[in-house]
Amino acid sequence: MTEELVTLETAKLLREKGFNEYCKDIIKEDNNRIMQSVFRTNKNLPKMCYSRPAQSIAQKWLRETKNIHICIYNCACGYGYEISKADNGTHIASSAYKGTNDGEKWDTYEEVLETGLQEALKLI
């Protein structure tokens, strides 16, 4: 079992919002090539390369540095996420469906977490 790494889109948002934590995995924008690097932080990577942390690391970084908590849940209608303030639980956003009109559900925990990460990063 391995941890799911963030996608290129999420990696770009993380860099834009100040993520500069140690990561051995990076992703290159022009060809989506996944590599390992000695540079290890966004600050030291070329412009077209992004740190690619595990989803759980990105989730923890948001909670500890931006005070944003992403909760993933599974109920009768499928997976969903809720974004709230980490210190007091104030609700910010939530979704139980992929799209607003089609009612399509996420198939996996990791898929909904990726969406939750992207939506939380867009709120910053």
Side-chain angles (χ1 to χ4, degrees):
M1 185 180 323
T2 60
E3 285 199 287
E4 189 73 24
L5 301 178
V6 299
T7 63
L8 173 61
E9 182 180 350
T10 304
K12 289 166 82 173
L13 286 168
L14 281 164
R15 183 177 191 168
E16 178 185 316
K17 303 304 180 177
F19 182 84
N20 199 41
E21 303 297 320
Y22 165 85
C23 289
K24 68 176 181 175
D25 296 298
I26 63 171
I27 187 166
K28 196 169 181 184
E29 184 173 7
D30 59 354
N31 60 6
N32 282 345
R33 186 171 172 213
I34 300 164
M35 307 177 278
Q36 291 189 344
S37 173
V38 295
F39 295 110
R40 303 181 190 237
T41 64
N42 273 322
K43 185 175 113 178
N44 299 320
L45 290 172
K47 288 186 180 187
M48 299 290 283
C49 294
Y50 302 89
S51 294
R52 192 170 186 227
Q55 289 177 331
S56 59
I57 297 296
Q59 184 180 26
K60 184 176 182 178
W61 179 80
L62 279 168
R63 188 173 56 252
E64 292 182 355
T65 66
K66 305 296 183 185
N67 193 36
I68 295 176
H69 177 66
I70 303 166
C71 176
I72 307 302
Y73 61 87
N74 188 8
C75 62
C77 61
Y79 282 103
Y81 67 86
E82 181 174 291
I83 300 170
S84 60
K85 291 198 175 246
D87 60 355
N88 64 13
T90 301
H91 181 267
I92 299 172
S94 61
S95 180
Y97 301 102
K98 280 186 183 179
T100 55
N101 297 325
D102 60 6
E104 186 179 356
K105 297 176 182 121
W106 289 283
D107 296 324
T108 66
Y109 178 96
E110 292 77 16
E111 188 179 43
V112 73
L113 178 55
E114 189 73 23
T115 302
L117 288 167
Q118 290 175 8
E119 293 304 314
L121 288 162
K122 290 174 186 175
L123 294 170
I124 298 172

